[in-house]
């Protein structure tokens, strides 16, 4: 059975489609193509999550985050950046779309052109998620841990409402920054500094 989780302002609404078996990777890809105006993710257990479009203010802040990451990546030259519209199939089978992400060039170039043109079977090395008013903190924290468990070496969860940044690294305790002016990507992303002034 395929289960759709439709994310609302506070909680996801669950719709069960009993006549439809759990979607295969290929079927999920076709479903996303047929519904290209929707923001869609898929959990490791096969639940399809339909999220509302980002609110304008959140989209503006996401743009500022991606701009800073892309500017650094262009100068650094060791990886590729991706915005919130890019989806990746993680090793656990989930398909996720972080708000901003970065992948080392050698890992990205190891994929085939066919893999790159779909939901690439790779977990980004670095991910950023920006909490919007429709996101629960616990849901995003679980998603960040999923990225780390599937191969990310660094993750930033930005909670604008409470002006906190949660920093995730494998095999390290969660680091929480209160109202920081900047957040450093060192040592995983040497020289990358996320300036928070326009993001708060």
């Amino acid at each position: 059975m395929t289960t759709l989780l439709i994310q609302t302002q506070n909680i996801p609404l669950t719709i069960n489609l009993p006549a439809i078996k759990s979607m295969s990777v290929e079927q999920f890809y076709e479903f996303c193509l047929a519904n290209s105006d929707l923001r869609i993710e898929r959990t490791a257990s096969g639940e399809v999550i339909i999220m509302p479009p980002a609110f304008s203010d959140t989209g503006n802040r996401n743009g500022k985050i991606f701009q800073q990451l892309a500017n650094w990546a262009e100068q650094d030259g060791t990886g590729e950046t991706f915005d919130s519209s890019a989806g990746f199939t993680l090793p656990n089978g989930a398909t996720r779309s972080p708000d901003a992400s970065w992948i080392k060039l050698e890992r990205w170039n190891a994929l085939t052109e066919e893999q790159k043109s779909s939901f690439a079977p790779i977990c980004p090395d670095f991910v950023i998620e920006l909490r919007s008013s429709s996101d629960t903190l616990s849901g995003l924290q679980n998603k960040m841990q999923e990225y780390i468990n599937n191969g990310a070496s660094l993750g930033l969860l930005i909670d604008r409402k409470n002006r906190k940044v949660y920093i995730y690294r494998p095999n390290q305790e969660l680091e929480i920054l209160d109202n920081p002016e900047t957040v450093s990507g060192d040592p995983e992303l040497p020289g990358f500094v996320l300036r928070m002034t326009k993001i708060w």
Side-chain angles (χ1 to χ4, degrees), residues 162-167 175-180 182-184 200:
N162 299 302
R163 288 190 170 237
K164 292 182 185 291
V165 177
Y166 299 80
I167 303 175
E175 184 180 353
I176 304 173
L177 305 180
D178 286 303
N179 198 24
T182 61
V183 180
S184 171
W200 294 133

Side-chain angles (χ1 to χ4, degrees), residues 72-116:
W72 168 82
E74 186 173 352
Q75 289 186 347
D76 178 72
T78 63
E80 294 286 352
T81 54
F82 304 85
D83 68 12
S84 60
S85 62
F88 303 96
T89 303
L90 307 184
N92 69 353
T95 302
R96 298 294 188 184
S97 299
D99 289 325
S101 55
W102 177 84
I103 298 176
K104 291 178 183 175
L105 212 51
E106 62 267 19
R107 295 183 67 229
W108 178 249
N109 289 337
L111 299 174
T112 66
E113 291 306 314
E114 184 179 4
Q115 289 172 322
K116 290 177 182 179

Side-chain angles (χ1 to χ4, degrees), residues 61 131 157-166 176-181 196-200:
R61 299 306 201 272
R131 184 185 180 192
L157 169 54
I158 301 170
D159 181 2
R160 283 181 59 214
K161 180 180 179 182
N162 299 302
R163 288 190 170 237
K164 292 182 185 291
V165 177
Y166 299 80
I176 304 173
L177 305 180
D178 286 303
N179 198 24
E181 290 184 11
M196 301 299 297
T197 310
K198 293 185 178 180
I199 297 169
W200 294 133

Side-chain angles (χ1 to χ4, degrees), residues 91 125 153:
D125 295 284
S153 58

